[in-house]
Amino acid sequence: MDCLRMKRMAIAALTLLVFVVSCRRMPGQAPANTPVAASPTFAVTTVKPNTTGSQDASTEMSGGIFTATNVTLKRMIASRAYGISDARIFGGPKWMGSAKFDMQAKMESADAQRVKTLDRAHRRAMQQPMFQQMLADRFKLAVHWETREMPVYELVVGKKGSLLTPANPTEGGSGIDSDDNSLVATNVTLDELAQTLTQELQRDLGRVVVDKTGLSGRYDVKLKWTPEDDGTPGQQAADAPPTILTAIQEQLGLKLEPSKGPVKVLVIDHVEMPKGN
């Protein structure tokens, strides 16, 4: 009897232990009723028609405040909301590319402070959904993605071979930073580089870049070029960097070859002229 009683007590203790463990929250796991933090959105937005007839247009994000002057909705969709070229936007009324607007949008102060700590790629990843929501709210914009056969650039190794610098395998982390005429990448694959060229150089390239180099390593990349519309021929400084296609060949030993391939495109399902301010 003592042995049987001890077994029953052991089973009861084990059952209680299983119950307690199952009720405990795993480390790092939020309680079931904990609200999920929402993605940041603009706190205040204004949109007004611009009827000046001016050809000058500009956009700027500074101190958590976005200002756009004399811009089209199509430009906002391409450059700010989805990070694609105009050629990858299909459908929608003609006024999307002709009607001009002045816009202003303000971020919450906490979000604006957080943006200051991010590099360009992470800022873009955080801000694009904010612009998407703003355009959905003010223009009733609805879209979907499709894949279509379109002109692309294939990134291949040049005739004289690659000039890429292999990344140091002992150094962790990777990153890409770029502006209008330079790019610095650390510990990246050629596929990541191709994606960055697609994202950052829409104005100069106008096509999706696809990695066809066959190189599987990770590299450190430095690239400097002169934008295609940076002055007229003969007005650039003698020591100015070459245009992007030449720069990629001379500085990286790679080449962009025109081709065709499957490309994700943005299709406009619905859009309306904004009402009010």
Side-chain angles (χ1 to χ4, degrees):
M1 291 295 294
D2 289 342
C3 183
L4 180 60
R5 187 162 51 249
M6 289 178 65
K7 288 183 179 180
R8 288 175 177 173
M9 290 176 63
I11 292 173
L14 180 60
T15 302
L16 178 61
L17 178 62
V18 171
F19 174 78
V20 171
V21 170
S22 66
C23 290
R24 292 184 61 186
R25 179 168 53 92
M26 295 297 291
Q29 180 182 353
N33 60 351
T34 299
V36 178
S39 299
T41 58
F42 288 113
V44 179
T45 63
T46 60
V47 179
K48 299 179 180 179
N50 183 312
T51 57
T52 62
S54 171
Q55 297 301 309
D56 295 331
S58 64
T59 62
E60 180 184 16
M61 174 72 83
S62 178
I65 299 176
F66 171 76
T67 304
T69 304
N70 204 35
V71 298
T72 64
L73 173 59
K74 195 167 188 178
R75 177 176 178 180
M76 286 293 298
I77 293 172
S79 64
R80 291 289 179 170
Y82 291 93
I84 59 176
S85 65
D86 288 0
R88 294 171 63 192
I89 300 175
F90 288 82
K94 290 183 178 180
W95 64 258
M96 281 178 44
S98 59
K100 306 292 183 67
F101 301 92
D102 294 338
M103 306 181 190
Q104 187 177 81
K106 297 182 179 180
M107 302 174 65
E108 296 284 0
S109 58
D111 293 330
Q113 289 297 321
R114 182 149 57 102
V115 165
K116 291 182 179 179
T117 67
L118 304 176
D119 60 25
R120 180 167 175 156
H122 287 90
R123 283 199 305 271
R124 182 176 62 245
M126 175 180 173
Q127 291 173 353
Q128 279 186 357
M130 299 174 65
F131 285 108
Q132 292 170 15
Q133 186 61 52
M134 182 182 80
L135 299 184
D137 290 341
R138 301 311 306 269
F139 291 87
K140 308 304 179 187
L141 179 67
V143 301
H144 73 273
W145 291 98
E146 290 182 5
T147 300
R148 300 186 181 184
E149 192 81 3
M150 292 184 63
V152 301
Y153 275 123
E154 292 185 346
L155 184 66
V156 300
V157 178
K159 292 181 179 180
K160 296 182 179 180
S162 166
L163 300 176
L164 294 168
T165 302
N168 189 335
T170 62
E171 295 181 0
S174 63
I176 299 176
D177 197 10
S178 64
D179 53 29
D180 291 337
N181 66 346
S182 66
L183 180 149
V184 177
T186 304
N187 196 27
V188 295
T189 65
L190 270 296
D191 183 62
E192 291 169 340
L193 177 61
Q195 292 180 41
T196 300
L197 293 175
T198 298
Q199 185 79 16
E200 301 292 344
L201 301 180
Q202 297 175 60
R203 181 181 61 182
D204 298 273
L205 298 178
R207 299 187 184 194
V208 169
V209 179
V210 182
D211 174 32
K212 294 290 186 178
T213 61
L215 302 176
S216 59
R218 304 186 75 88
Y219 301 90
D220 295 337
V221 178
K222 290 184 179 180
L223 186 62
K224 195 170 183 64
W225 66 93
T226 296
E228 294 284 355
D229 59 356
D230 189 12
T232 57
Q235 292 184 334
Q236 297 174 4
D239 59 348
T243 57
I244 184 63
L245 294 178
T246 303
I248 288 175
Q249 292 188 61
E250 294 180 350
Q251 299 169 29
L252 305 183
L254 306 178
K255 186 178 180 181
L256 291 177
E257 293 186 340
S259 183
K260 284 193 174 183
V263 175
K264 285 185 64 177
V265 300
L266 193 71
V267 180
I268 308 299
D269 295 320
H270 182 81
V271 67
E272 299 177 10
M273 275 285 192
K275 299 177 181 180
N277 64 0

